[in-house]
Amino acid sequence: MDLDALDTLAARMRSAAAIVVLTGAGISAESGVPTFRGQDGLWRRYSAAELATPEAFSRDPDLVWQWYRWRRSLIGRAIPNPGHLSLARLQERAARFDLVTQNVDGLHQRAGSAAVIELHGNIWRSRCARGCGFVLDETTPAAGSELPGEGGAAPACPCGALLRPDVVWFGEPLDEGRIDLAVRAARNCDVFLAIGTSALVYPAAGLPLIAAGAGALVAEINVDDTPLTPHAGLVLRGKAAEMIPAIEARL
Ligand code: OAD
Protein backbone atom coordinates (compact mmCIF):
# COMPACT_ATOMS: atom_id res chain seq x y z
CA MET A 1 0.00 0.00 0.00
CA ASP A 2 1.32 3.47 -0.90
CA LEU A 3 0.97 5.14 2.50
CA ASP A 4 2.03 8.57 1.20
CA ALA A 5 -0.70 8.52 -1.44
CA LEU A 6 -3.24 7.41 1.17
CA ASP A 7 -2.24 10.26 3.50
CA THR A 8 -2.36 12.81 0.68
CA LEU A 9 -5.79 11.65 -0.41
CA ALA A 10 -7.15 11.62 3.14
CA ALA A 11 -5.88 15.17 3.72
CA ARG A 12 -7.59 16.39 0.56
CA MET A 13 -10.79 14.59 1.49
CA ARG A 14 -10.77 16.13 4.97
CA SER A 15 -10.77 19.63 3.52
CA ALA A 16 -13.10 18.85 0.59
CA ALA A 17 -16.50 20.47 0.47
CA ALA A 18 -17.70 18.07 -2.21
CA ILE A 19 -16.61 14.50 -2.94
CA VAL A 20 -17.77 12.32 -5.83
CA VAL A 21 -17.22 8.58 -6.00
CA LEU A 22 -17.64 6.58 -9.20
CA THR A 23 -17.68 2.83 -8.75
CA GLY A 24 -17.49 -0.05 -11.21
CA ALA A 25 -17.62 -3.81 -11.04
CA GLY A 26 -14.27 -3.99 -9.21
CA ILE A 27 -15.82 -2.82 -5.96
CA SER A 28 -18.16 -5.80 -5.92
CA ALA A 29 -15.47 -8.30 -6.94
CA GLU A 30 -14.69 -9.16 -3.33
CA SER A 31 -18.37 -9.80 -2.71
CA GLY A 32 -18.10 -12.55 -5.31
CA VAL A 33 -19.84 -10.69 -8.14
CA PRO A 34 -17.92 -11.25 -11.41
CA THR A 35 -16.50 -8.22 -13.20
CA PHE A 36 -16.96 -7.72 -16.95
CA ARG A 37 -13.43 -7.40 -18.30
CA GLY A 38 -11.12 -8.96 -15.73
CA GLN A 39 -9.46 -12.36 -15.95
CA ASP A 40 -12.72 -14.20 -15.23
CA GLY A 41 -14.81 -11.32 -16.55
CA LEU A 42 -18.29 -11.93 -17.90
CA TRP A 43 -17.47 -10.50 -21.33
CA ARG A 44 -14.67 -13.06 -21.69
CA ARG A 45 -17.11 -15.94 -21.26
CA TYR A 46 -20.32 -14.50 -22.67
CA SER A 47 -21.13 -12.43 -25.70
CA ALA A 48 -22.44 -8.96 -24.89
CA ALA A 49 -24.03 -8.84 -28.35
CA GLU A 50 -26.06 -11.99 -27.59
CA LEU A 51 -27.08 -11.03 -24.07
CA ALA A 52 -26.98 -7.30 -23.42
CA THR A 53 -28.40 -5.49 -26.43
CA PRO A 54 -31.98 -4.61 -27.43
CA GLU A 55 -31.47 -6.79 -30.54
CA ALA A 56 -30.53 -9.79 -28.39
CA PHE A 57 -33.72 -9.31 -26.36
CA SER A 58 -35.89 -9.12 -29.49
CA ARG A 59 -34.20 -12.23 -30.88
CA ASP A 60 -34.28 -14.42 -27.79
CA PRO A 61 -35.85 -12.89 -24.66
CA ASP A 62 -35.79 -16.22 -22.82
CA LEU A 63 -32.02 -16.53 -23.26
CA VAL A 64 -31.47 -12.96 -22.09
CA TRP A 65 -33.65 -13.57 -19.04
CA GLN A 66 -31.83 -16.84 -18.25
CA TRP A 67 -28.61 -14.87 -18.13
CA TYR A 68 -30.06 -12.14 -15.96
CA ARG A 69 -31.68 -14.71 -13.62
CA TRP A 70 -28.31 -16.40 -13.27
CA ARG A 71 -26.67 -13.05 -12.43
CA ARG A 72 -29.47 -12.29 -9.97
CA SER A 73 -28.83 -15.59 -8.24
CA LEU A 74 -25.12 -14.73 -7.87
CA ILE A 75 -25.83 -11.20 -6.67
CA GLY A 76 -28.63 -12.38 -4.37
CA ARG A 77 -26.11 -14.54 -2.52
CA ALA A 78 -23.51 -11.74 -2.32
CA ILE A 79 -23.18 -9.42 0.63
CA PRO A 80 -21.69 -5.92 0.73
CA ASN A 81 -17.94 -6.03 1.43
CA PRO A 82 -15.85 -3.65 3.58
CA GLY A 83 -15.43 -1.34 0.56
CA HIS A 84 -19.19 -0.85 0.16
CA LEU A 85 -19.63 -0.47 3.91
CA SER A 86 -16.83 2.05 4.23
CA LEU A 87 -18.25 4.16 1.37
CA ALA A 88 -21.63 4.17 3.09
CA ARG A 89 -19.98 5.65 6.20
CA LEU A 90 -17.98 8.15 4.12
CA GLN A 91 -21.14 9.84 2.91
CA GLU A 92 -21.32 11.53 6.33
CA ARG A 93 -17.82 12.97 6.01
CA ALA A 94 -18.23 15.72 3.40
CA ALA A 95 -20.77 18.50 3.19
CA ARG A 96 -21.62 17.11 -0.25
CA PHE A 97 -21.05 13.47 -1.17
CA ASP A 98 -22.31 11.89 -4.39
CA LEU A 99 -22.00 8.18 -5.11
CA VAL A 100 -22.32 7.31 -8.79
CA THR A 101 -22.21 3.66 -9.79
CA GLN A 102 -22.13 1.68 -12.99
CA ASN A 103 -23.09 -1.41 -11.03
CA VAL A 104 -26.58 -2.84 -11.22
CA ASP A 105 -26.20 -5.10 -8.16
CA GLY A 106 -27.68 -2.80 -5.51
CA LEU A 107 -24.86 -3.62 -3.05
CA HIS A 108 -24.20 0.05 -2.25
CA GLN A 109 -27.78 0.50 -1.10
CA ARG A 110 -27.63 -2.73 0.90
CA ALA A 111 -24.48 -1.36 2.57
CA GLY A 112 -26.41 1.75 3.61
CA SER A 113 -25.50 4.30 0.93
CA ALA A 114 -28.29 6.74 0.22
CA ALA A 115 -29.21 8.50 -3.02
CA VAL A 116 -26.97 6.32 -5.20
CA ILE A 117 -26.92 7.49 -8.82
CA GLU A 118 -27.26 4.22 -10.73
CA LEU A 119 -26.10 5.05 -14.24
CA HIS A 120 -26.73 1.60 -15.68
CA GLY A 121 -29.95 0.73 -13.86
CA ASN A 122 -30.64 -2.02 -11.35
CA ILE A 123 -30.86 -5.75 -11.96
CA TRP A 124 -33.59 -6.09 -9.31
CA ARG A 125 -35.95 -3.90 -11.29
CA SER A 126 -37.83 -4.92 -14.45
CA ARG A 127 -39.95 -2.83 -16.74
CA CYS A 128 -42.31 -3.26 -19.64
CA ALA A 129 -40.31 -3.93 -22.80
CA ARG A 130 -43.03 -2.25 -24.88
CA GLY A 131 -43.00 0.87 -22.71
CA CYS A 132 -46.45 0.79 -21.05
CA GLY A 133 -44.78 2.23 -17.94
CA PHE A 134 -45.12 -0.82 -15.68
CA VAL A 135 -42.16 -1.31 -13.35
CA LEU A 136 -41.59 -4.31 -11.09
CA ASP A 137 -39.28 -3.22 -8.28
CA GLU A 138 -37.60 -5.95 -6.27
CA THR A 139 -34.69 -3.85 -5.05
CA THR A 140 -35.24 -4.78 -1.40
CA PRO A 141 -32.43 -6.26 0.70
CA ALA A 142 -34.21 -9.61 0.62
CA ALA A 143 -33.99 -9.62 -3.17
CA GLY A 144 -33.34 -12.89 -4.89
CA SER A 145 -36.98 -13.77 -5.20
CA GLU A 146 -38.26 -15.43 -8.32
CA LEU A 147 -39.71 -13.35 -11.10
CA PRO A 148 -43.13 -14.10 -12.46
CA GLY A 149 -42.87 -16.52 -15.38
CA GLU A 150 -42.00 -20.18 -15.43
CA GLY A 151 -38.46 -21.49 -15.24
CA GLY A 152 -36.35 -19.87 -17.90
CA ALA A 153 -39.12 -18.03 -19.72
CA ALA A 154 -39.17 -14.25 -19.97
CA PRO A 155 -41.67 -12.82 -17.47
CA ALA A 156 -44.78 -11.08 -18.75
CA CYS A 157 -45.95 -7.54 -18.09
CA PRO A 158 -49.56 -7.14 -16.95
CA CYS A 159 -50.18 -5.35 -20.27
CA GLY A 160 -49.35 -8.54 -22.17
CA ALA A 161 -45.92 -7.53 -23.45
CA LEU A 162 -42.72 -8.91 -21.95
CA LEU A 163 -40.82 -7.49 -19.00
CA ARG A 164 -37.17 -6.64 -19.49
CA PRO A 165 -34.44 -5.99 -16.93
CA ASP A 166 -34.30 -2.27 -16.08
CA VAL A 167 -30.64 -2.02 -17.02
CA VAL A 168 -28.86 -0.15 -19.77
CA TRP A 169 -27.85 -2.36 -22.67
CA PHE A 170 -25.17 -1.66 -25.27
CA GLY A 171 -26.47 0.80 -27.81
CA GLU A 172 -28.99 2.32 -25.40
CA PRO A 173 -28.78 5.84 -24.01
CA LEU A 174 -28.43 6.44 -20.28
CA ASP A 175 -31.25 8.01 -18.32
CA GLU A 176 -30.76 11.73 -18.96
CA GLY A 177 -31.65 12.85 -15.45
CA ARG A 178 -29.13 10.49 -13.87
CA ILE A 179 -26.21 11.36 -16.14
CA ASP A 180 -26.97 15.08 -15.75
CA LEU A 181 -26.80 14.73 -11.97
CA ALA A 182 -23.52 12.85 -12.24
CA VAL A 183 -21.96 15.38 -14.64
CA ARG A 184 -23.01 18.28 -12.43
CA ALA A 185 -21.53 16.57 -9.38
CA ALA A 186 -18.27 15.83 -11.24
CA ARG A 187 -17.96 19.46 -12.35
CA ASN A 188 -18.41 20.76 -8.83
CA CYS A 189 -16.39 18.43 -6.66
CA ASP A 190 -13.01 18.89 -4.97
CA VAL A 191 -12.10 15.20 -4.86
CA PHE A 192 -13.22 12.50 -7.31
CA LEU A 193 -12.59 8.83 -6.52
CA ALA A 194 -12.78 6.34 -9.42
CA ILE A 195 -12.99 2.90 -7.83
CA GLY A 196 -12.85 -0.49 -9.54
CA THR A 197 -13.76 0.62 -13.02
CA SER A 198 -11.93 -0.15 -16.25
CA ALA A 199 -12.79 3.41 -17.36
CA LEU A 200 -13.68 2.18 -20.84
CA VAL A 201 -17.44 2.64 -21.02
CA TYR A 202 -18.70 6.14 -21.75
CA PRO A 203 -20.30 8.37 -20.61
CA ALA A 204 -19.34 7.08 -17.13
CA ALA A 205 -15.64 7.00 -18.06
CA GLY A 206 -15.83 10.70 -18.94
CA LEU A 207 -16.85 11.74 -15.41
CA PRO A 208 -13.37 11.68 -13.83
CA LEU A 209 -12.03 13.61 -16.83
CA ILE A 210 -14.71 16.26 -16.33
CA ALA A 211 -13.76 16.49 -12.66
CA ALA A 212 -10.04 16.75 -13.45
CA GLY A 213 -10.77 19.44 -16.07
CA ALA A 214 -12.66 21.42 -13.43
CA GLY A 215 -9.70 21.26 -11.04
CA ALA A 216 -10.63 18.37 -8.75
CA LEU A 217 -8.11 15.88 -7.45
CA VAL A 218 -8.89 12.60 -9.22
CA ALA A 219 -7.77 9.48 -7.39
CA GLU A 220 -7.98 6.06 -8.98
CA ILE A 221 -8.36 2.95 -6.84
CA ASN A 222 -7.86 -0.18 -8.90
CA VAL A 223 -5.84 -3.36 -8.91
CA ASP A 224 -4.67 -2.53 -12.45
CA ASP A 225 -3.85 0.30 -14.83
CA THR A 226 -6.72 1.74 -16.88
CA PRO A 227 -6.99 4.47 -19.53
CA LEU A 228 -7.74 6.82 -16.62
CA THR A 229 -4.44 6.12 -14.86
CA PRO A 230 -2.35 8.73 -16.75
CA HIS A 231 -4.97 11.40 -15.98
CA ALA A 232 -5.30 10.62 -12.29
CA GLY A 233 -3.62 12.90 -9.77
CA LEU A 234 -3.23 9.97 -7.38
CA VAL A 235 -3.19 6.27 -8.11
CA LEU A 236 -3.86 3.80 -5.30
CA ARG A 237 -3.06 0.28 -6.41
CA GLY A 238 -4.97 -2.34 -4.50
CA LYS A 239 -8.28 -3.92 -3.74
CA ALA A 240 -11.21 -1.61 -3.12
CA ALA A 241 -12.26 -3.59 -0.05
CA GLU A 242 -8.88 -2.83 1.53
CA MET A 243 -8.11 0.62 0.17
CA ILE A 244 -11.37 2.37 1.04
CA PRO A 245 -11.31 1.36 4.73
CA ALA A 246 -7.62 2.40 4.79
CA ILE A 247 -8.61 5.86 3.53
CA GLU A 248 -11.48 6.04 6.02
CA ALA A 249 -9.12 5.19 8.87
CA ARG A 250 -7.06 8.29 8.00
CA LEU A 251 -9.94 10.76 7.87
P1 OAD B 1 -15.00 -3.84 -15.74
O1 OAD B 1 -15.16 -5.31 -15.53
O2 OAD B 1 -14.83 -3.35 -17.11
O3 OAD B 1 -13.75 -3.33 -14.90
C1 OAD B 1 -13.56 -3.71 -13.56
C2 OAD B 1 -12.34 -2.97 -13.06
O4 OAD B 1 -12.18 -3.29 -11.69
C3 OAD B 1 -11.04 -3.38 -13.77
O5 OAD B 1 -10.30 -2.20 -14.08
C4 OAD B 1 -10.29 -4.21 -12.70
O6 OAD B 1 -8.90 -4.03 -12.79
C5 OAD B 1 -10.83 -3.60 -11.43
N1 OAD B 1 -10.85 -4.51 -10.27
C6 OAD B 1 -11.07 -5.83 -10.24
N2 OAD B 1 -11.07 -6.27 -8.96
C7 OAD B 1 -10.87 -5.20 -8.19
C8 OAD B 1 -10.79 -5.00 -6.77
N3 OAD B 1 -10.93 -6.00 -5.91
N4 OAD B 1 -10.56 -3.75 -6.32
C9 OAD B 1 -10.41 -2.70 -7.18
N5 OAD B 1 -10.47 -2.84 -8.52
C10 OAD B 1 -10.71 -4.07 -9.01
O7 OAD B 1 -16.24 -3.14 -14.99
P2 OAD B 1 -16.81 -1.66 -15.18
O8 OAD B 1 -15.73 -0.67 -15.34
O9 OAD B 1 -17.78 -1.48 -14.09
O10 OAD B 1 -22.15 -1.88 -18.51
O11 OAD B 1 -17.58 -1.82 -16.54
C11 OAD B 1 -18.33 -0.75 -17.02
C12 OAD B 1 -19.57 -1.24 -17.70
O12 OAD B 1 -19.23 -2.19 -18.71
C13 OAD B 1 -20.53 -2.03 -16.81
O13 OAD B 1 -21.37 -1.20 -16.04
C14 OAD B 1 -21.30 -2.80 -17.80
C15 OAD B 1 -20.17 -3.30 -18.66
O14 OAD B 1 -20.49 -3.67 -19.93
C16 OAD B 1 -23.35 -2.23 -18.93
O15 OAD B 1 -23.80 -3.34 -18.74
C17 OAD B 1 -24.06 -1.13 -19.62
Side-chain angles (χ1 to χ4, degrees):
M1 237 182 237
D2 181 343
L3 299 182
D4 286 344
L6 273 175
D7 287 339
T8 307
L9 177 57
R12 290 289 292 270
M13 286 174 71
R14 277 197 300 271
S15 63
I19 296 174
V20 174
V21 176
L22 170 69
T23 61
I27 193 166
S28 295
E30 275 141 294
S31 293
V33 181
T35 63
F36 293 96
R37 297 177 182 78
Q39 213 178 3
D40 299 315
L42 293 172
W43 296 149
R44 297 213 177 185
R45 286 182 285 155
Y46 301 97
S47 153
E50 280 170 30
L51 295 165
T53 61
E55 295 75 24
F57 187 76
S58 307
R59 207 164 42 233
D60 195 343
D62 291 355
L63 175 70
V64 171
W65 265 112
Q66 278 162 30
W67 195 65
Y68 277 93
R69 280 191 163 105
W70 170 70
R71 285 182 58 204
R72 274 184 173 221
S73 72
L74 288 182
I75 293 168
R77 285 197 294 272
I79 54 169
N81 66 52
H84 297 107
L85 295 167
S86 182
L87 276 183
R89 291 188 295 267
L90 283 183
Q91 73 192 355
E92 311 296 332
R93 304 301 291 258
R96 172 105 213 163
F97 184 94
D98 288 285
L99 176 54
V100 184
T101 189
Q102 298 166 88
N103 299 344
V104 297
D105 56 29
L107 288 175
H108 284 305
Q109 291 89 330
R110 283 172 59 193
S113 285
V116 182
I117 303 174
E118 292 182 309
L119 290 180
H120 293 166
N122 191 300
I123 200 166
W124 299 109
R125 234 178 12 240
S126 323
R127 62 179 160 89
C128 177
R130 199 162 54 194
C132 81
F134 179 81
V135 173
L136 178 64
D137 192 340
E138 299 171 295
T139 54
T140 54
S145 52
E146 268 307 296
L147 281 157
E150 288 302 308
C157 180
C159 80
L162 291 178
L163 287 179
R164 58 161 282 177
D166 191 11
V167 300
V168 176
W169 283 329
F170 288 101
E172 292 186 319
L174 269 56
D175 177 87
E176 243 176 71
R178 287 183 218 149
I179 189 67
D180 282 356
L181 276 179
V183 166
R184 215 168 314 142
R187 262 197 211 120
N188 294 302
C189 68
D190 306 297
V191 175
F192 187 108
L193 305 181
I195 304 176
T197 176
S198 58
L200 288 166
V201 176
Y202 280 77
L207 294 170
L209 305 177
I210 290 171
L217 171 67
V218 173
E220 175 177 68
I221 299 173
N222 200 304
V223 291
D224 254 323
D225 274 2
T226 75
L228 174 64
T229 309
H231 305 280
L234 277 175
V235 177
L236 300 172
R237 266 296 147 265
K239 294 181 174 174
E242 291 165 10
M243 300 304 286
I244 306 166
I247 297 164
E248 185 191 4
R250 284 165 171 74
L251 291 178

